[in-house]
Amino acid sequence: MRTPLIQRTAMPGLGLSAGITLFMLSLVVILPIGALLLRGASFGAAGIWDVVNRPRVWAALWLSFRLSFYAALFNLVFGVILAWVLTRYRFPGKRLIDAAVDLPFALPTAVAGIALTALYAPNGVLGQLTNQIGWQIAYTQWGIWLALVFVGLPFVTRTVQPVIEEIESEVEEASATLGASRVYTIRHVILPMLMPAALTGFALALARAVGEYGSVIFIAGNIPFRTEIAPLLIVIQLEEFNYDAAAAIGIAMLVISFAMLLAINLIQIWSRRRIGHV
């Protein structure tokens, strides 16, 4: 059967759909980033480096990206486990837990920060218990990490869940029939199929954590060189009407984030090619 020259789809024509897509992409993504880069260009590379190359800024950047990476890594492991449990098992309260996963999406970040602070503050319900064993969470880096885990977990779980639903249980049964152990089946059968989606969820969780502000400032303590995050430094510069310094820190975060996401995408491409060759 000959393929028609014009394939009809439910979407509008290429010109109209591409125009709408590019317009919305420019309005939401390209224009804000372009305005930031334009502000930095007017400030100059030397001015940007002068703002960024300060101990307080480096400390805030290191804290934000380091804790965001740790939180995303934690969410990568336990988000995949949670998605597997919610997809493959039936137990009482499953629907309640499944709905609670989406709570960070709907809950305002400031409310999440206040709730976490109320729980883990030294006089909070859980904070009193942890302080008894000498472990303070609120107003420390542990509190920041906890807030970042809270806001990033749904990205991994919801990204991996559809992939797990498409994996038939017969695949595991066939592996067991051939004599493979559970560990071997997980490592060589299940994980390769989940890896691309899991890395996508990891990238989304990392991106959300790097720019998180509302849920962190209440539980962080905001002490320079200890618990001060980079987004807070940007807000401080904006409150002082130092827009050039705020743009410089924003450009530094943009460059570092782009480099990290590029590395993750390269790993995704490698994992897809590896699966294709298997």
Side-chain angles (χ1 to χ4, degrees):
M1 182 180 295
R2 296 178 60 185
T3 303
L5 296 178
I6 300 178
Q7 297 182 1
R8 300 193 177 276
T9 64
M11 295 296 292
L14 176 61
L16 178 60
S17 59
I20 295 174
T21 302
L22 291 176
F23 174 76
M24 295 304 299
L25 182 65
S26 301
L27 190 65
V28 177
V29 179
I30 298 178
L31 285 179
I33 295 178
L36 177 64
L37 296 176
L38 184 62
R39 185 81 186 194
S42 62
F43 190 39
I48 294 175
W49 178 250
D50 183 62
V51 172
V52 175
N53 193 26
R54 298 175 182 175
R56 184 177 178 181
V57 177
W58 281 120
L61 290 172
W62 171 245
L63 176 69
S64 294
F65 283 95
R66 176 169 52 87
L67 294 184
S68 296
F69 179 79
Y70 291 159
L73 197 62
F74 179 89
N75 288 330
L76 174 63
V77 177
F78 289 93
V80 171
I81 295 175
L82 178 59
W84 185 272
V85 171
L86 291 176
T87 304
R88 290 302 179 93
Y89 298 102
R90 296 181 179 180
F91 52 89
K94 175 183 176 180
R95 291 185 178 181
L96 181 62
I97 297 176
D98 191 43
V101 171
D102 295 326
L103 191 60
F105 287 144
L107 195 66
T109 56
V111 176
I114 294 173
L116 290 173
T117 305
L119 283 174
Y120 291 97
N123 58 348
V125 177
L126 299 178
Q128 292 180 355
L129 298 177
T130 57
N131 284 345
Q132 290 179 359
I133 60 175
W135 183 22
Q136 182 178 346
I137 296 179
Y139 315 126
T140 65
Q141 294 185 13
W142 284 108
I144 300 175
W145 177 82
L146 182 65
L148 298 180
V149 168
F150 176 80
V151 300
L153 181 63
F155 289 94
V156 178
T157 302
R158 293 311 186 202
T159 304
V160 174
Q161 258 186 305
V163 180
I164 297 177
E165 291 175 355
E166 294 179 357
I167 300 176
E168 299 179 356
S169 58
E170 286 79 5
V171 175
E172 304 168 49
E173 295 174 0
S175 178
T177 302
L178 294 174
S181 63
R182 290 186 176 181
V183 175
Y184 185 91
T185 301
I186 292 174
R187 290 184 55 187
H188 297 278
V189 179
I190 302 300
L191 285 183
M193 290 187 287
L194 296 181
M195 188 59 66
L199 288 176
T200 300
F202 173 81
L204 293 173
L206 178 62
R208 171 65 187 273
V210 167
E212 183 60 27
Y213 176 78
S215 62
V216 174
I217 57 172
F218 294 99
I219 198 172
N222 307 319
I223 303 174
F225 300 99
R226 293 179 59 187
T227 58
E228 187 178 53
I229 58 175
L232 177 60
L233 273 183
I234 296 177
V235 173
I236 292 174
Q237 299 299 328
L238 292 175
E239 290 177 347
E240 296 175 354
F241 302 100
N242 193 352
Y243 300 118
D244 290 335
I249 300 174
I251 291 174
M253 295 188 66
L254 178 64
V255 171
I256 298 173
S257 299
F258 179 78
M260 296 179 69
L261 293 178
L262 178 62
I264 295 172
N265 287 330
L266 292 177
I267 295 174
Q268 282 182 302
I269 295 173
W270 173 80
S271 64
R272 289 193 181 98
R273 289 180 177 177
R274 183 182 178 185
I275 294 173
H277 291 301
V278 173

